[in-house]
Amino acid sequence: AMLNNTHLSDEEQAEALKRWWTDNGKSIIAGIVIGLSLVLGWQGWSRYQIEQSELASLEYDRLKSILQKNDTSAAAIQSDTIKQDYSSTSYSFFAALDLAKSYLEAEDYVKARSELEYAIANAADEGLKAMAQARLARVLIAAGETDQALAIANQNTVAAFAGDFAHIKGDIYREKGDLESAKKAYAEALISSNNSSLLEMKLNEVNTGS
């Protein structure tokens, strides 16, 4: 009911107000309570997210320190802690990437691949996913699994990583002995790559058949 007091006396206005409040008061109070709950709930959730991110950052710093000591075993334990306790943050993604790099340097391709597959599955956006896929393709090349690496490179749809994946495809074709395809891939990579000196060297090598 609408409250219209244009032609009402003070007593009539008071009575109309009572009736209006009887009809609408509960719903107004409920709306206020719900609104406050939503605001306070959102603020609480935001604080929780910030706290989680700060704690995850500390744990990630510990991981970086462990990796600097080349203690891959301890790094794996620390990485698992980050993944289990802070999976909602991007630190779990980067923990997997860093541990994969350590495994790759140790030529443990199976474990490196496992970490990168975790990173791909838990990437927050397509750009991060493409980054992990590029690294996985590199691991597969190192492990001699060029067909799987090529399949991953061909799946890329992120324009920002086109040059990286073209470079990867060039390396794969070169490894396979397909120098013509390698030339095309390296030339494509040169268009958008910051690593032009390395690509020019590789392109010269495939042009001379080496």
Side-chain angles (χ1 to χ4, degrees):
M2 294 184 62
L3 182 60
N4 188 336
N5 61 4
T6 307
H7 302 292
L8 300 180
S9 67
D10 290 344
E11 186 176 332
E12 288 170 330
Q13 286 180 29
E15 186 61 33
L17 181 58
K18 286 179 185 178
R19 287 198 303 271
W20 183 85
W21 182 254
T22 299
D23 293 340
N24 300 280
K26 288 181 181 180
S27 61
I28 289 173
I29 292 172
I32 292 170
V33 169
I34 291 170
L36 286 173
S37 298
L38 289 172
V39 170
L40 293 173
W42 175 254
Q43 290 176 342
W45 175 249
S46 297
R47 281 197 300 272
Y48 172 77
Q49 290 290 84
I50 292 169
E51 288 169 2
Q52 285 293 98
S53 183
E54 289 173 348
L55 290 170
S57 176
L58 292 173
E59 295 295 343
Y60 183 67
D61 286 342
R62 291 193 186 101
L63 173 63
K64 300 289 279 187
S65 297
I66 294 169
L67 286 170
Q68 286 176 356
K69 298 173 185 174
N70 295 318
D71 190 345
T72 306
S73 179
I77 294 170
Q78 180 65 11
S79 179
D80 283 344
T81 296
I82 295 170
K83 291 174 189 172
Q84 289 169 13
D85 296 345
Y86 306 103
S87 60
S88 63
T89 72
S90 291
Y91 288 102
S92 61
F93 170 88
F94 288 107
L97 249 60
D98 289 344
L99 189 57
K101 182 181 178 183
S102 182
Y103 283 135
L104 179 58
E105 289 169 352
E107 297 184 358
D108 190 337
Y109 304 127
V110 173
K111 288 183 179 177
R113 177 175 182 172
S114 177
E115 292 300 319
L116 290 168
E117 286 174 343
Y118 171 92
I120 291 166
N122 291 274
D125 58 47
E126 289 302 310
L128 292 178
K129 182 178 178 181
M131 181 195 299
Q133 286 175 321
R135 295 194 185 188
L136 177 56
R138 288 288 181 198
V139 167
L140 292 170
I141 293 170
E145 299 179 37
T146 51
D147 287 338
Q148 289 188 45
L150 184 59
I152 290 172
N154 284 331
Q155 288 173 5
N156 178 61
T157 58
V158 181
F161 283 85
D164 297 275
F165 281 105
H167 189 164
I168 288 168
K169 285 193 274 190
D171 289 348
I172 293 169
Y173 289 129
R174 182 179 177 183
E175 188 75 18
K176 286 173 168 289
D178 185 351
L179 299 186
E180 285 303 315
S181 295
K183 288 178 193 177
K184 291 177 183 177
Y186 287 143
E188 180 185 340
L190 267 169
I191 296 171
S192 58
S193 177
N194 294 323
N195 202 359
S196 57
S197 57
L198 177 59
L199 281 163
E200 285 170 356
M201 183 186 72
K202 289 183 177 183
L203 187 55
N204 288 334
E205 287 174 353
V206 293
N207 278 327
T208 57
S210 58

